[in-house]
Amino acid sequence: MAQQARRAPGRPKKNQETAVLEAPVAKRTVAKKPPILRNENPNQRKEFEVIDGGGIVYMLPQQGETVYDKSTDRVRELRYCPNENSIWSDEQGDKAVKKSVIFRNGRIFVDNQQPNLRKFLELHPGNQANGGNKFKEVNKEVSAEKELEQEFLVTDAVALVRDKEITDLLSVALYFKVNINAPTSEIRHNLLRIAKGKPKEFIESFDSPTVRTRAVIKQAADYQIIKLDRSACKWFDSNTQIVSVPVGQDPTDVLTRFCLTEKGSTVLADIEDRLERLA
């Protein structure tokens, strides 16, 4: 019997598939960005300003200034003495030295190391917060929030001019009395100026039924579907009165208000139908 050939150790048999192990792919690790730490410190420095300017130097009256003190249920006299812990004259020493409170260029700044001056100004009857008309506190945080809100409104209004189709802008353009027969770029340019000047009104106009109805009426008058006289709004073809116009009122405004009522809704539908037939 023929001796079978020996197979070298480690060599696979014929017709036997060799398992190939793929090397594991190393996972890429994305370095995490370290957090940026904030330590928000509220502004400890208070600012007050004279309401009517005050000129270069304005000295705040403090002779005989009295206010009601809730803590003692009494009317007490205010007096600013830098070396005294209290602003109440009845709590100050016999040698208390009064100091003038001076606004320079209409402003005075009070650090947190001046609690008596801050309290004196906060309780002074001339403070606008107490019903006075001499000076007021400048709240920069509130001012910054208002300014941000206004800037964001302008940004949103400008975005509408940029992103809206021209067909969506025409009713708004008519409401703001922009010539819609001008080139598209000119219409957008005119609306851009309005958006920057009246951002809130401009944004709200897109969802206003008054704006849309006024635009329809304006076009109906331009295309001789209706007539807008000082005494009445009429159909152009039959000269039939739609609604009378009170003395001194704008006929477009009168017909717009009328069309937004239940009674005038059929008139508005008729006007829109006639405009569609002209398109």
Side-chain angles (χ1 to χ4, degrees), residues 217 233 243-246 249-259:
I217 290 170
C233 302
V243 63
S244 61
V245 178
Q249 293 195 24
D250 181 76
T252 305
D253 290 340
V254 172
L255 186 55
T256 299
R257 291 195 299 268
F258 175 73
C259 288

Side-chain angles (χ1 to χ4, degrees), residues 212-233:
R212 177 184 168 278
T213 304
R214 187 181 178 89
V216 169
I217 290 170
K218 180 69 170 61
Q219 283 215 297
D222 291 342
Y223 284 96
Q224 296 185 341
I225 295 173
I226 58 174
K227 288 194 298 185
L228 301 175
D229 295 333
R230 287 183 296 178
S231 60
C233 302

Side-chain angles (χ1 to χ4, degrees), residues 4-279:
Q4 292 182 353
R6 285 189 176 183
R7 179 170 49 87
R11 182 178 294 174
K13 293 180 181 180
K14 290 182 178 180
N15 301 325
Q16 182 178 349
E17 294 182 358
T18 304
V20 179
L21 298 177
E22 295 183 359
V25 179
K27 292 183 178 180
R28 294 181 61 185
T29 56
V30 180
K32 292 184 178 180
K33 292 182 180 180
I36 298 175
L37 303 178
R38 293 177 68 242
N39 185 15
E40 185 176 352
N41 294 318
N43 188 9
Q44 299 296 325
R45 195 186 196 198
K46 287 206 170 189
E47 179 182 348
F48 298 84
E49 67 177 3
V50 180
I51 293 175
D52 292 329
I56 297 175
V57 176
Y58 172 76
M59 187 178 298
L60 183 67
Q62 57 168 318
Q63 182 67 37
E65 297 290 347
T66 58
V67 297
Y68 171 70
D69 179 21
K70 291 182 180 179
S71 62
T72 60
D73 193 26
R74 289 190 294 120
V75 175
R76 307 173 73 183
E77 182 183 1
L78 287 170
R79 190 167 62 178
Y80 173 56
C81 301
N83 296 326
E84 295 288 330
N85 292 325
S86 175
I87 59 169
W88 304 112
S89 61
D90 56 18
E91 293 180 352
Q92 295 171 350
D94 296 334
K95 297 182 179 180
V97 179
K98 183 173 65 174
K99 184 178 179 181
S100 300
V101 178
I102 299 175
F103 291 74
R104 300 190 184 279
N105 295 317
R107 296 178 181 274
I108 187 171
F109 299 91
V110 184
D111 294 325
N112 57 349
Q113 293 88 4
Q114 299 172 290
N116 51 355
L117 177 57
R118 184 179 69 247
K119 190 173 182 180
F120 174 82
L121 290 169
E122 288 174 346
L123 295 179
H124 195 281
N127 191 334
Q128 189 180 67
N130 303 322
N133 59 3
K134 291 183 172 62
F135 67 94
K136 65 180 178 179
E137 181 180 349
V138 178
N139 192 328
K140 290 192 174 181
E141 184 178 352
V142 172
S143 298
E145 288 179 358
K146 287 183 178 179
E147 187 174 344
L148 275 175
E149 183 181 353
Q150 180 67 17
E151 289 294 332
F152 290 151
L153 273 176
V154 171
T155 301
D156 292 341
V158 169
L160 288 173
V161 179
R162 180 193 63 198
D163 299 335
K164 287 282 188 182
E165 296 290 339
I166 188 62
T167 52
D168 297 326
L169 293 171
L170 292 180
S171 59
V172 175
L174 282 169
Y175 177 75
F176 287 106
K177 299 179 181 179
V178 173
N179 179 17
I180 64 170
N181 296 318
T184 300
S185 58
E186 187 176 328
I187 295 173
R188 289 188 188 273
H189 181 264
N190 290 331
L191 288 177
L192 186 64
R193 290 189 296 103
I194 296 167
K196 290 180 178 180
K198 306 175 182 178
K200 188 178 181 190
E201 183 182 351
F202 184 80
I203 292 171
E204 291 175 349
S205 67
F206 283 86
D207 296 323
S208 171
T210 302
V211 171
R212 177 184 168 278
T213 304
R214 187 181 178 89
V216 169
I217 290 170
K218 180 69 170 61
Q219 283 215 297
D222 291 342
Y223 284 96
Q224 296 185 341
I225 295 173
I226 58 174
K227 288 194 298 185
L228 301 175
D229 295 333
R230 287 183 296 178
S231 60
C233 302
K234 305 176 181 178
W235 293 109
F236 191 89
D237 52 3
S238 63
N239 205 35
T240 306
Q241 178 174 297
I242 302 172
V243 63
S244 61
V245 178
V247 177
Q249 293 195 24
D250 181 76
T252 305
D253 290 340
V254 172
L255 186 55
T256 299
R257 291 195 299 268
F258 175 73
C259 288
L260 289 172
T261 64
E262 184 177 353
K263 184 178 179 181
S265 61
T266 55
V267 174
L268 178 62
D270 194 356
I271 293 174
E272 290 175 330
D273 181 61
R274 296 190 189 197
L275 282 171
E276 286 180 6
R277 278 183 273 167
L278 291 175

